[in-house]
Amino acid sequence: MLRTRIIPVLLISDDYIVKTTRFSNPRYIGDPINIVRIFNEKEVDELTLFDIGIKGKDEINYNLIKNIAFNARMPICYGGGIRTIAQVEKIFSMGIEKISISKSFILNPILLSEIASKFGSQSTVVTFDINRINKDEFCVGGNLICNIEKIKQLIVQANNSGAGEIIINCIHRDGTDEGYDQDLLDKIYFTAKSPITIVGGASSLENIFTVAKKYPVIGLGVGNLFIYKGKKKAVLISYPGDHERKLIQ
């Protein structure tokens, strides 16, 4: 049975976990293995890892992925630098349950079909990095200017090509604590044929629960809220307890 998932989203850069604001100014958070072990103890639903430091590098950091997968006691989705079937096969062989492609889908849509055909849609995710320009315009994947209808077309195309999950990663809300972009979610939620996950801006547990109640089958990606505590943003890893999670089931 499908259910709402609350998913910590961790950003990797040069072997460390960092946190950004609107995809800029990465701040060091800590060692990924230590953070994964803490999330093990908190019995998180799953983890999503994005390597944001991969640009300009020749290859994916397989050693780090392998160590994270070995230490994790929850399903993991990995994204960052995936361009070939061979890379996907190697990542899955290390114990990662799902992979995410982003720019690679826009540049080479056939890759998604090949991945889904070989490994199954349940293991195949497409992430759309979306930055709101104004009320009606968005930038997707860094340089593709879209209106809502174009974004819907991309979601349909991804599902038709084999994506078993769509992640909407809102650049304009990343690290802001302003709440999820529910206006965007309202317009695209029913377009997806697969589960959809929204990332960016979670401001409180109440914000998470409100969105979860409105959209019955959704993934809620969370960064700041599960990493920082207090106005001074001291690093303190957290996650809702059993009682709190049951409120949205």
Side-chain angles (χ1 to χ4, degrees), residues 171-185:
I171 299 172
H172 52 289
R173 294 294 175 97
D174 171 54
T176 65
D177 304 324
E178 294 176 353
Y180 292 109
D181 189 340
Q182 290 190 62
D183 176 67
L184 174 60
L185 193 55

Side-chain angles (χ1 to χ4, degrees), residues 5-66:
R5 296 161 297 138
I6 304 176
I7 308 166
V9 177
L10 301 179
L11 307 179
I12 302 169
S13 182
D14 297 325
D15 296 348
Y16 297 107
I17 300 300
V18 299
K19 190 68 194 75
T20 58
T21 301
R22 296 188 175 95
F23 279 33
S24 299
N25 304 316
R27 175 189 174 188
Y28 170 83
I29 299 298
D31 176 73
I33 304 303
N34 289 338
I35 293 173
V36 166
R37 287 172 176 167
I38 293 172
F39 279 128
N40 284 341
E41 296 172 1
K42 297 184 180 300
E43 299 181 340
V44 307
D45 291 330
E46 62 183 87
L47 283 178
T48 293
L49 305 175
F50 292 127
D51 189 337
I52 65 170
I54 194 71
K55 186 177 181 180
K57 295 184 178 179
D58 293 331
E59 194 49 281
I60 293 167
N61 190 340
Y62 294 111
N63 286 334
L64 180 60
I65 295 173
K66 184 177 181 179

Side-chain angles (χ1 to χ4, degrees), residues 18 23 26 36 38 55 61 94 115-116 118 120 127 133 138 161 165 173 229:
V18 299
F23 279 33
V36 166
I38 293 172
K55 186 177 181 180
N61 190 340
M94 295 173 176
I115 295 171
K118 185 167 185 177
T127 296
I133 299 171
F138 303 82
S161 298
E165 180 179 352
R173 294 294 175 97
K229 183 175 180 61

Side-chain angles (χ1 to χ4, degrees), residues 8-229:
V9 177
L10 301 179
L11 307 179
I12 302 169
S13 182
D14 297 325
D15 296 348
Y16 297 107
I17 300 300
V18 299
K19 190 68 194 75
T20 58
T21 301
R22 296 188 175 95
F23 279 33
S24 299
N25 304 316
R27 175 189 174 188
Y28 170 83
I29 299 298
D31 176 73
I33 304 303
N34 289 338
I35 293 173
V36 166
R37 287 172 176 167
I38 293 172
F39 279 128
N40 284 341
E41 296 172 1
K42 297 184 180 300
E43 299 181 340
V44 307
D45 291 330
E46 62 183 87
L47 283 178
T48 293
L49 305 175
F50 292 127
D51 189 337
I52 65 170
I54 194 71
K55 186 177 181 180
K57 295 184 178 179
D58 293 331
E59 194 49 281
I60 293 167
N61 190 340
Y62 294 111
N63 286 334
L64 180 60
I65 295 173
K66 184 177 181 179
N67 287 335
I68 290 174
F70 178 79
N71 283 276
R73 298 293 179 265
M74 76 290 286
I76 291 179
C77 174
Y78 169 83
I82 296 172
R83 300 180 299 275
T84 68
I85 286 285
Q87 291 173 315
V88 174
E89 188 164 20
K90 191 168 184 177
I91 291 168
F92 281 143
S93 74
M94 295 173 176
I96 297 296
E97 284 78 10
K98 295 190 288 188
I99 61 91
S100 168
I101 63 172
S102 182
K103 286 186 179 179
S104 292
F105 167 68
I106 294 173
L107 296 174
N108 180 22
I110 294 175
L111 177 63
L112 172 60
S113 300
E114 293 174 344
I115 295 171
S117 177
K118 185 167 185 177
F119 302 103
S121 291
Q122 76 284 351
S123 301
T124 308
V125 179
V126 170
T127 296
F128 292 110
D129 295 323
I130 297 179
N131 195 12
R132 182 184 285 274
I133 299 171
N134 54 47
K135 182 181 178 182
D136 300 313
E137 286 188 311
F138 303 82
C139 183
V140 179
N143 54 18
L144 184 62
I145 305 301
C146 300
N147 58 20
I148 285 293
E149 292 307 312
K150 178 59 177 177
I151 293 174
K152 288 180 179 180
Q153 290 172 14
L154 289 170
I155 291 172
V156 170
Q157 181 185 357
N159 282 151
N160 290 343
S161 298
E165 180 179 352
I166 302 293
I167 295 178
I168 303 298
N169 197 1
C170 296
I171 299 172
H172 52 289
R173 294 294 175 97
D174 171 54
T176 65
D177 304 324
E178 294 176 353
Y180 292 109
D181 189 340
Q182 290 190 62
D183 176 67
L184 174 60
L185 193 55
D186 283 342
K187 294 172 180 174
I188 64 174
Y189 177 77
F190 292 103
T191 301
K193 299 176 184 177
S194 64
I196 193 167
T197 293
I198 188 164
V199 181
S203 58
S204 63
L205 289 182
E206 182 180 0
N207 180 216
I208 291 173
F209 297 155
T210 297
V211 176
K213 289 293 185 183
K214 185 173 182 180
Y215 307 98
V217 179
I218 194 168
L220 295 159
V222 183
N224 277 18
L225 191 62
F226 294 164
I227 290 175
Y228 295 136
K229 183 175 180 61

Side-chain angles (χ1 to χ4, degrees), residues 226-249:
F226 294 164
I227 290 175
Y228 295 136
K229 183 175 180 61
K231 293 182 179 179
K232 295 185 177 180
K233 292 192 173 182
V235 175
L236 180 65
I237 306 301
S238 64
Y239 190 74
D242 287 341
H243 173 70
E244 293 167 317
R245 277 179 280 172
K246 287 177 181 177
L247 295 176
I248 65 171
Q249 304 305 326

